[in-house]
Amino acid sequence: MPEKHDLHSEFPEFKEQIHQLKQHNNHFAVLFSRYHEIDHEIHRIEQGAEVCSDDYLEQQKVQRLHLKDDLFSMLKAAETTV
């Protein structure tokens, strides 16, 4: 069974920063929402609930990875300001 890659599972040590940034940083909230949408779509595709080309799936995975990197950078920066 494909595993989900939600940010709370990926970065449990940043639970508080995720919550704070979602509440107080609009850019983070938008990226977080987009990451969640893409992760959910990938999960549905991998479960067979949706059909797409392999290229599209790989493109979505790359986009999810880039968003994850951006979000992680923002989380690290928020950690140093707390």
Side-chain angles (χ1 to χ4, degrees):
M1 177 175 207
E3 87 179 58
K4 292 185 86 174
H5 293 271
D6 66 277
L7 279 187
H8 293 288
S9 297
E10 294 289 312
F11 305 123
E13 69 276 17
F14 290 112
K15 180 181 178 183
E16 184 60 33
Q17 286 93 338
I18 290 170
H19 176 73
Q20 289 298 320
L21 286 170
K22 280 179 21 185
Q23 298 296 316
H24 303 289
N25 184 316
N26 190 50
H27 183 63
F28 182 90
V30 169
L31 293 180
F32 180 90
S33 178
R34 184 70 184 133
Y35 177 90
H36 177 73
E37 289 170 10
I38 291 173
D39 184 53
H40 190 63
E41 179 183 23
I42 290 169
H43 194 262
R44 289 190 316 262
I45 292 167
E46 289 177 337
Q47 285 187 317
E50 291 186 22
V51 178
C52 71
S53 69
D54 289 342
D55 288 340
Y56 178 78
L57 178 58
E58 287 306 311
Q59 178 185 13
Q60 292 302 89
K61 286 182 177 182
V62 167
Q63 189 170 355
R64 177 179 65 185
L65 182 61
H66 287 300
L67 286 166
K68 182 177 171 184
D69 288 344
D70 291 345
L71 290 163
F72 180 73
S73 294
M74 294 175 81
L75 288 167
K76 288 298 284 183
E79 179 182 51
T80 60
T81 61
V82 172

